[in-house]
Amino acid sequence: ARYLALVLASLLPDEPEVWGLPALLTFAGARASARGGTYLPLADQDPATWDAAMIAEGEALLRRAAAAGTIGRFQLEAAISSVHCDRARTGTTDWAALTRLYRALVRLTPTLGARTALAAAVGRAEGPSAGLAVLDAIDDPAAGRFQPAWATRAELTRDPAAYAKAISLTTDPAVRRWLTARAERL
């Protein structure tokens, strides 16, 4: 996918969103080895295992996309990944920056996933009750069946029932094992 995104960017060099996509995929690729073939949330990954050269390449691709002065979904998603990858340099995650970027993403593309991720970021930046308020404000009926929304609710509330619901909606065995272990530690 990353290769094809780079080919597309070379064919459409003046399209900023086309550069945002390979930036996003490059940041994701930089963190791939940290997962060790299983599910490991980004916050639990050791940034020392991330590929610094790929992070630098992702930053260069993101700067190329941003140079056009217009913003789009892939650029915002790549910027979110960039903030996460910056933890390899700083040792901390800038949750306030992530909250601003997710708010921008929700304004541009108000998907259920983006709104749920905003709730998680707000929860980390401003506290669980603030994140829960954002999550509760999602008026999409699909949220009741959306596993990431339940996993976010579980993390914000530490409610065993929310973990049980998230686990029941999980189709990935590795994610199910992680959520189950997390719930058992309560």
Side-chain angles (χ1 to χ4, degrees):
R2 183 174 167 276
Y3 170 77
L4 291 175
L6 287 166
V7 169
L8 184 60
S10 72
L11 295 172
L12 299 167
D14 298 327
E15 294 294 326
E17 269 299 89
V18 175
W19 289 101
L21 180 58
L24 173 62
L25 294 171
T26 301
F27 286 126
R31 299 186 313 263
S33 66
R35 292 186 291 274
T38 187
Y39 176 74
L40 186 60
L42 191 54
D44 293 347
Q45 293 177 16
D46 178 2
T49 64
W50 296 344
D51 186 322
M54 284 188 78
I55 292 171
E57 183 179 346
E59 294 293 344
L61 291 164
L62 185 55
R63 280 191 301 278
R64 171 113 187 228
T70 60
I71 194 74
R73 176 183 185 169
F74 292 133
Q75 291 173 74
L76 285 168
E77 290 177 359
I80 288 164
S81 286
S82 173
V83 171
H84 281 293
C85 284
D86 200 42
R87 184 164 59 96
R89 184 181 61 80
T90 66
T92 61
T93 300
D94 187 344
W95 290 103
L98 287 170
T99 297
R100 287 189 303 275
L101 289 166
Y102 275 117
R103 286 189 196 287
L105 182 61
V106 166
R107 275 193 303 277
L108 185 66
T109 311
T111 64
L112 183 52
R115 291 179 289 166
T116 300
L118 172 60
V122 168
R124 295 296 292 264
E126 301 171 21
S129 61
L132 195 56
V134 173
L135 192 61
D136 288 341
I138 297 173
D139 60 357
D140 187 335
R145 300 179 309 276
F146 190 55
Q147 187 274 348
W150 281 100
T152 300
R153 180 173 301 283
E155 286 293 300
L156 292 171
T157 63
R158 304 290 193 224
D159 177 8
Y163 277 105
K165 181 67 174 181
I167 291 164
S168 77
L169 293 170
T170 302
T171 58
D172 184 323
V175 174
R176 184 178 296 113
R177 282 190 300 275
W178 186 87
L179 284 168
T180 301
R182 189 89 165 149
E184 289 172 353
R185 285 194 300 263
L186 289 177

